[in-house]
């Protein structure tokens, strides 16, 4: 009788409201209305694999809050709103009624910028894979990527003061650090917004983390670990005007401390424009010309090129016209024409830049090499190699591919730009042997809201389309076409139009590039966290030369009555002093460590007078020497000789051939156990 009564009550009352029912932990108790759909079913996976490694994808380069940078009107729409998608995904006011004033669209995409500005519910013309001005990071799209297996997302806080200043439309200050602070706060606001949907603080899937252990714990819970980074053109006010720095070491320390306090754990030191820290890797085509105009407006100088010293090179500038941008130049100024063979920026890492690199190392932060000129990246590598520092990242295919092994040797992490499936897979396969050699996974950098362009659709008639629904890599989630209002998104016809298409893009990679590429991506989160964790553990090695009995040399320059160039100057801990030899090839510098000790690494900071050919030798008795390292391609700068750990009391640098007309000159020599 009781059972019959309960059944009757159930029929009368209808289904139990979701707020009262047992809730799937991955489903929110409430969403804003109206809102986009996720169109993914199944429980997100938790935990680690049998070896204790986290599973999942890593997006190493995204810009969730870019709409808050560049003066607030370059990227139209917001990633979240309490009023829902209709409020969040609005076009910029000046884009109404038909996009005639979408100036940035004209500059970056070409054409006249015209488009339907209406967002919800039709989304006729945007977001789109080739539109660079509309919000692509709506939170529901990121949620869809998380549900499909992404477990780490690096949110790079981004802006550019010069682009802001010359752009016609803005509603706030162009100060870069002000924008970075706001974007950091908005990131925490988005976390609170998602938490609220799940019942309160800490309950949502979007978790901002500040150390690798915290990230691992979040991922074990099946949630998304969000890391804050910074990508801006003149960090800490470190611009340069007519090659003169506008910041100091104190500005750098103050800026790094502030960013660290905000939760930032990785950053770029230069981006788009040469600054007081480093030269940049050029952009190409019309966009490159437009950015070169910005370079002039910011610094008073255009990019300068030279023949590259080695096989690595910067992007070709391209000499393509950009009429809208070139109108901003003062009367009489023109963008230079560049020789096709000169593809390297003359500007490398400055002394202030080297100070900033070491400042990041001191704070155990990860350095982003993408956007550095090859000369600057080479010098940054030199510094990190001299200290065995693992915290180096290439997050979106902007580092010269020839340095990938150099990055992996240090323990760094690499991700590829979110390009078309065929191109992405080809790039991934070209480095597959290196990943296997160093036992690392692969990441992707979506660069959404990053003004780059994303995978175009392969077409509805492609012979091997993405078929809906499909399973996630772990097999636990079923992924169908994503729906926003009246718009149903299909990767075959829409491509990488917004963040919600990331799972569809990965499925397209599986179809086009094969399961092996996807498997490498699925182990990316673990590799990223290893790099981060090892960076956090880093401690400088003890320099055995600092406690040496002394140093001797075959000769020393004697003619300067003001400055001493005696051999002890190379181990005094002061880079402002140096040892300098007489001007002939056969010269040596010997260091007595005082006792027999393990030696596995020697660093040499050359002054302009460097050795082209030299070797590092060890001895126990100053008589019998054994060569442990040598080169005949020395090019000066900061060298690191690394070899199997060997017991020795004496270390000798044996010069064989000079690289200049002068002798050999070393500012500092470091000797380390490993």
């Amino acid at each position: 009788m009781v059972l019959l009564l309960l059944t009757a009550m159930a029929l009368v009352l209808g289904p139990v409201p979701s707020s009262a029912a047992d809730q799937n932990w991955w489903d929110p108790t409430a969403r804003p209305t109206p809102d986009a759909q996720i169109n993914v079913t199944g429980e997100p996976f938790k935990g680690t694999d049998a070896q204790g490694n986290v599973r999942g994808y890593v997006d190493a380069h995204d810009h969730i809050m870019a709409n808050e940078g560049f003066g607030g009107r370059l990227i139209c729409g917001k990633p979240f709103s309490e009023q829902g998608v209709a409020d969040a995904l609005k076009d910029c006011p000046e884009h109404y009624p038909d996009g005639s004033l979408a100036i940035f669209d004209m500059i970056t995409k070409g054409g006249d910028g015209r488009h339907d500005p209406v967002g919800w519910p039709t989304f006729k013309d945007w977001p789109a894979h080739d539109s660079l001005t509309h919000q692509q990071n709506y939170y529901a799209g990121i949620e869809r990527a998380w549900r499909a297996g992404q477990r780490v997302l690096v949110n790079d806080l981004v802006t550019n003061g010069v682009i802001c200043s010359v752009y016609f439309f803005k509603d706030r200050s162009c100060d870069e650090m002000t924008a970075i602070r706001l974007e950091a706060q908005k990131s925490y606001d988005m976390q609170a917004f998602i938490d609220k949907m799940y019942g309160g603080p800490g309950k949502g899937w979007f978790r901002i983390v500040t150390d690798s252990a915290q990230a691992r714990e979040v991922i074990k819970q099946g949630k998304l670990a969000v890391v804050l980074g910074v990508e801006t053109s003149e960090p800490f006010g470190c611009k340069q005007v007519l090659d003169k720095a506008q910041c100091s070491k104190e500005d750098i320390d103050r800026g790094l401390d502030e960013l660290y306090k905000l939760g930032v754990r990785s950053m770029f030191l230069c981006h788009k424009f040469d600054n007081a820290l480093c030269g940049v890797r050029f952009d190409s085509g019309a966009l490159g010309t437009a950015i070169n105009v910005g370079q002039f407006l910011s610094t008073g100088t255009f990019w300068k090129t030279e023949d590259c010293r080695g096989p690595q090179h910067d992007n070709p500038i391209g000499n393509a016209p950009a009429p809208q941008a070139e109108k901003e130049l003062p009367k009489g100024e023109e963008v230079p024409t560049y020789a096709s063979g000169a593809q390297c920026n003359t500007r490398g890492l400055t002394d202030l830049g080297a100070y900033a690199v070491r400042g990041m190392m001191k704070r155990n932060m990860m350095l982003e090499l993408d956007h550095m000129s090859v000369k600057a990246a080479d010098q940054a590598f030199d510094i990190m190699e001299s200290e065995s520092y693992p915290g180096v990242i290439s997050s979106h295919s902007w580092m010269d591919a020839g340095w990938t092994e150099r990055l992996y040797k240090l323990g760094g992490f690499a991700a590829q730009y979110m390009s078309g499936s065929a191109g992405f897979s080809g790039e991934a396969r070209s480095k597959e042997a290196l990943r296997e050699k160093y036992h690392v996974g692969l990441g992707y950098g979506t660069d959404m809201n990053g003004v780059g362009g994303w995978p175009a659709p392969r077409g509805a008639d492609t012979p091997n389309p993405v078929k809906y629904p499909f399973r996630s890599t772990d097999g636990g989630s079923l992924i169908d076409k994503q729906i926003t209002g009246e718009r149903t998104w299909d990767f075959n016809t829409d491509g990488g139009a917004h963040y919600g298409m990331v799972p569809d893009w990965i499925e397209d990679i599986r179809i086009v590039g094969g399961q092996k590429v996807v498997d490498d991506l699925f182990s990316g989160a673990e590799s990223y966290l290893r790099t981060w964790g090892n960076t956090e553990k880093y401690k400088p090695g003890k320099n055995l030369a600092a406690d040496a009995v002394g140093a001797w040399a075959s000769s020393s320059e004697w003619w300067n009555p003001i400055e001493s160039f005696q051999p002890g100057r190379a181990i005094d801990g002061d880079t402002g002093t140096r040892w300098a030899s007489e001007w002939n090839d056969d010269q040596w510098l010997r260091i007595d460590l005082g006792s027999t000790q393990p030696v596995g690494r020697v660093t040499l900071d050359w002054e302009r007078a460097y050795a082209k050919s030299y070797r590092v030798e060890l001895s126990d008795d100053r008589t019998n020497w054994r060569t442990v390292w040598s080169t005949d391609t020395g090019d000066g700068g900061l060298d690191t000789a690394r070899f199997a750990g060997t017991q020795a009391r004496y270390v000798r640098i044996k010069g064989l051939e000079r690289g200049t007309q002068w002798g050999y000159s070393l500012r500092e020599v470091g000797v380390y156990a490993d």
Side-chain angles (χ1 to χ4, degrees):
M1 197 65 171
V2 172
L3 182 60
L4 287 171
L5 285 171
L6 288 174
T7 303
M9 289 176 63
L11 290 171
V12 172
L13 294 175
V16 179
S18 60
S19 58
D22 290 335
Q23 192 72 31
N24 292 330
W25 67 269
W26 58 92
D27 286 330
T29 56
R31 290 187 187 275
T33 36
D35 209 0
Q37 299 180 37
I38 305 301
N39 305 104
V40 179
T41 56
E43 181 176 2
F45 61 85
K46 295 182 178 181
T48 59
D49 65 16
Q51 290 73 43
N53 299 319
V54 302
R55 299 173 293 161
Y57 308 117
V58 52
D59 180 355
H61 192 107
D62 187 30
H63 302 293
I64 299 176
M65 298 299 168
N67 59 290
E68 303 292 353
F70 308 99
R73 297 269 275 275
L74 196 74
I75 306 295
C76 306
K78 301 178 289 189
F80 71 98
S81 170
E82 295 283 357
Q83 285 73 51
V85 66
D87 180 64
L89 297 187
K90 288 181 178 178
D91 212 340
C92 292
E94 56 274 10
H95 286 198
Y96 289 85
D98 62 358
S100 299
L101 293 180
I103 306 299
F104 197 63
D105 250 10
M106 300 179 201
I107 294 173
T108 57
K109 184 180 177 181
D112 59 9
R114 292 179 184 271
H115 62 273
D116 180 358
V118 176
W120 178 271
T122 57
F123 294 102
K124 178 181 176 183
D125 287 341
W126 61 270
H129 73 92
D130 57 353
S131 171
L132 311 187
T133 62
H134 294 98
Q135 178 62 248
Q136 295 174 300
N137 276 310
Y138 188 59
Y139 91 93
I142 298 174
E143 180 179 355
R144 178 176 161 90
W146 158 65
R147 289 282 298 272
Q150 186 170 304
R151 289 298 177 265
V152 177
L153 188 156
V154 179
N155 177 26
D156 284 319
L157 315 176
V158 64
T159 191
N160 184 295
V162 175
I163 292 176
C164 171
S165 66
V166 300
Y167 191 54
F168 301 96
F169 307 106
K170 61 182 74 70
D171 56 23
R172 63 196 63 180
S173 160
C174 290
D175 180 72
E176 291 193 352
M177 288 304 293
T178 299
I180 295 303
R181 294 182 193 105
L182 176 61
E183 290 181 39
Q185 182 57 55
K186 289 289 185 179
S187 299
Y188 287 101
D189 290 348
M190 182 164 158
Q191 177 177 260
F193 164 80
I194 294 171
D195 279 353
K196 183 179 178 181
M197 288 193 289
Y198 284 80
K203 295 187 177 182
W205 52 266
F206 184 95
R207 314 304 318 151
I208 297 174
V209 296
T210 55
D211 62 63
S212 62
Q214 188 181 17
R216 288 182 180 278
E217 183 56 36
V218 163
I219 296 169
K220 285 181 182 178
Q221 296 170 15
K223 299 181 179 183
L224 179 68
V226 180
V227 185
L228 297 185
V230 165
E231 183 183 40
T232 189
S233 293
E234 294 162 348
F236 330 127
C238 281
K239 68 184 301 177
Q240 56 96 3
V241 178
L242 299 176
D243 294 320
K244 291 188 178 179
Q246 306 298 300
C247 69
S248 64
K249 291 180 178 178
E250 291 73 22
D251 293 324
I252 293 169
D253 282 326
R254 187 162 47 247
L256 286 172
D257 286 341
E258 179 182 6
L259 290 178
Y260 194 90
K261 187 175 180 180
L262 287 173
V264 172
R265 294 298 180 266
S266 66
M267 72 173 296
F268 296 76
L269 291 181
C270 50
H271 176 236
K272 301 304 182 185
F273 305 148
D274 296 341
N275 62 25
L277 307 177
C278 46
V280 292
R281 187 171 171 86
F282 309 129
D283 280 79
S284 300
L287 181 59
T289 300
I291 292 172
N292 202 4
V293 170
Q295 156 92 8
F296 180 85
L297 297 174
S298 174
T299 69
T301 58
F302 292 104
W303 288 327
K304 297 176 184 177
T305 65
E306 64 184 6
D307 291 340
C308 302
R309 298 179 181 180
Q312 290 78 24
H313 59 81
D314 294 320
N315 299 321
I317 297 178
N319 301 320
Q324 289 287 343
E326 291 175 84
K327 290 178 182 178
E328 299 297 321
L329 289 172
K331 187 176 180 179
E333 292 291 347
E334 294 182 355
V335 177
T337 299
Y338 295 93
S340 59
Q343 292 190 7
C344 279
N345 194 334
T346 60
R347 193 175 185 87
L349 195 68
T350 67
D351 289 343
L352 283 174
Y355 184 83
V357 170
R358 294 187 184 279
M360 291 183 67
M361 293 165 61
K362 180 180 178 182
R363 293 164 178 80
N364 301 90
M365 298 172 73
M366 292 179 285
L367 174 66
E368 291 265 12
L369 287 185
D370 288 9
H371 290 297
M372 274 189 179
S373 68
V374 292
K375 183 183 286 188
D378 185 30
Q379 292 165 319
F381 265 124
D382 285 345
I383 292 172
M384 292 182 288
E385 287 165 345
S386 73
E387 301 282 353
S388 293
Y389 190 74
V392 54
I393 303 288
S394 173
S395 61
H396 63 332
S397 299
W398 269 74
M399 181 188 75
D400 191 287
W403 276 334
T404 304
E405 184 163 18
R406 197 174 179 185
L407 177 143
Y408 285 151
K409 279 183 178 179
L410 277 170
F413 179 78
Q416 296 176 191
Y417 188 80
M418 185 187 177
S419 56
S421 301
F424 186 94
S425 300
E427 184 180 348
R429 284 193 295 267
S430 72
K431 300 170 187 172
E432 184 178 314
L434 279 179
R435 290 196 299 277
E436 291 179 353
K437 179 178 178 180
Y438 291 96
H439 307 290
V440 295
L442 178 63
Y444 49 80
T446 62
D447 202 17
M448 292 283 182
N449 290 355
V451 194
W454 296 274
R458 292 197 290 125
D461 58 350
T462 184
N464 54 345
V466 172
K467 296 179 180 179
Y468 295 90
F470 58 87
R471 285 281 174 189
S472 58
T473 299
D474 68 292
S477 296
L478 188 65
I479 303 161
D480 210 340
K481 293 179 181 179
Q482 199 264 324
I483 300 172
T484 309
E486 297 173 7
R487 181 78 182 265
T488 298
W489 302 89
D490 184 329
F491 190 81
N492 301 302
T493 54
D494 296 312
H498 57 78
Y499 210 96
M501 305 305 288
V502 169
D504 313 56
W505 171 68
I506 292 174
E507 173 66 3
D508 202 49
I509 288 174
R510 185 191 67 78
I511 294 167
V512 173
Q515 186 64 42
K516 180 63 170 67
V517 178
V518 175
D519 290 343
D520 282 2
L521 286 171
F522 202 65
S523 60
E526 173 62 30
S527 287
Y528 177 88
L529 293 178
R530 284 181 188 172
T531 292
W532 190 8
N534 289 334
T535 302
E536 292 169 324
K537 297 173 188 174
Y538 164 79
K539 293 181 180 178
K542 177 178 172 56
N543 183 3
L544 305 178
D547 298 325
V549 171
W552 290 260
S554 55
S555 68
S556 298
E557 280 190 9
W558 55 268
W559 51 267
N560 191 324
I562 299 174
E563 186 175 359
S564 169
F565 299 113
Q566 293 301 307
R569 299 291 186 176
I571 59 169
D572 63 0
D574 183 358
T575 56
T577 65
R578 60 190 174 95
W579 163 69
S581 76
E582 292 181 351
W583 295 10
N584 56 65
D585 287 335
D586 189 12
Q587 301 288 336
W588 53 262
L589 173 74
R590 185 183 74 232
I591 300 168
D592 182 357
L593 301 178
S595 62
T596 299
Q597 302 184 55
V599 177
R601 175 167 49 103
V602 174
T603 61
L604 303 102
D605 187 356
W606 296 98
E607 196 253 354
R608 286 181 297 169
Y610 67 91
K612 179 181 178 183
S613 178
Y614 68 97
R615 60 182 181 240
V616 176
E617 303 172 328
L618 302 180
S619 176
D620 300 317
D621 56 9
R622 285 189 304 172
T623 301
N624 298 295
W625 294 93
R626 53 194 182 276
T627 299
V628 291
W629 189 90
S630 65
T631 183
D632 58 6
T633 58
D635 59 358
L638 183 59
D639 285 350
T640 298
R642 192 180 300 277
F643 42 88
T646 305
Q647 294 286 327
R649 172 171 175 170
Y650 301 96
V651 179
R652 185 166 74 178
I653 315 303
K654 176 71 170 176
L656 304 174
E657 182 183 355
R658 291 170 291 158
T660 69
Q661 66 188 34
W662 306 296
Y664 304 106
S665 186
L666 284 162
R667 293 188 181 96
E668 282 295 308
V669 176
V671 180
Y672 302 88
D674 54 26

